[in-house]
Amino acid sequence: MNLVSQTYKSVLKQTHAQLNDTWGGGHSVDKLPKYEADMKAKEVTTILDYGCANGKFKVYMNAQKPNYDVREYDPGIHGKDTLPEPADYIVCCDVMEHIELDLLDNVMLHLKSLMLKGGFFNISTKDAITLLSDGSNAHKIVKDGQWWVDVFSKHFELSNVEFGRIETNFRASPKS
């Protein structure tokens, strides 16, 4: 299953290299209070930071909450681009809007195959400030929150949906 085109993967890697890993990452840590209670309630032990960028979430979790086994996946980061194993919980913050639209269904199926107990998603609904190394906007899909809820509802049970001016947050659980 193709999750990212080779051309786009190269652009992501070039952009991360040019920005010295200062681009992306860390948003998951900022959102931690929104999903921490859900992780405890579901007795989560493994977390996959899907689209981890520079890995600030894992660093924070290892230092502050070492009882979780945090794994990382990001197709644009060398060494983190190996397809991940399923995990109890997926944290995916400021990632989905970076997916190529024609591969979104593949990514949704991939997420569904990886999520064992639940997940938290934070999705930007506006253009990015950052331009990629090819000059294109970093956000490949700019849609409103309801559009994203409709996409995710096809694959997951959603809860705690929050529509903000520039982002949408929600928790997801595997559909039975």
Side-chain angles (χ1 to χ4, degrees), residues 37-138:
D38 191 42
M39 291 189 317
K40 285 181 184 176
K42 291 180 175 165
E43 299 179 353
V44 167
T45 59
T46 58
I47 302 169
L48 172 60
D49 186 0
Y50 194 95
C52 64
N54 56 28
K56 288 181 185 176
F57 178 74
K58 184 174 183 175
V59 169
Y60 173 84
M61 293 298 281
N62 285 343
Q64 302 297 320
K65 303 185 184 292
N67 52 320
Y68 293 108
D69 172 13
V70 179
R71 303 159 185 182
E72 298 178 312
Y73 170 68
D74 195 310
I77 303 287
H78 181 71
K80 298 180 182 186
D81 53 355
T82 301
L83 291 177
E85 295 293 319
D88 291 337
Y89 209 80
I90 294 176
V91 172
C92 187
C93 294
D94 195 23
V95 172
M96 298 305 296
E97 63 273 18
H98 296 274
I99 306 297
E100 296 162 285
L101 184 58
D102 60 334
L103 296 176
L104 182 59
D105 288 334
N106 290 356
V107 171
M108 294 302 297
L109 291 171
H110 189 232
L111 287 166
K112 186 175 181 177
S113 75
L114 296 172
M115 183 187 293
L116 300 176
K117 296 181 179 180
F120 177 81
F121 294 83
N122 168 262
I123 304 170
S124 177
T125 56
K126 66 175 186 127
D127 283 330
I129 295 169
T130 303
L131 295 180
L132 300 176
S133 62
D134 67 355
S136 67
N137 193 281

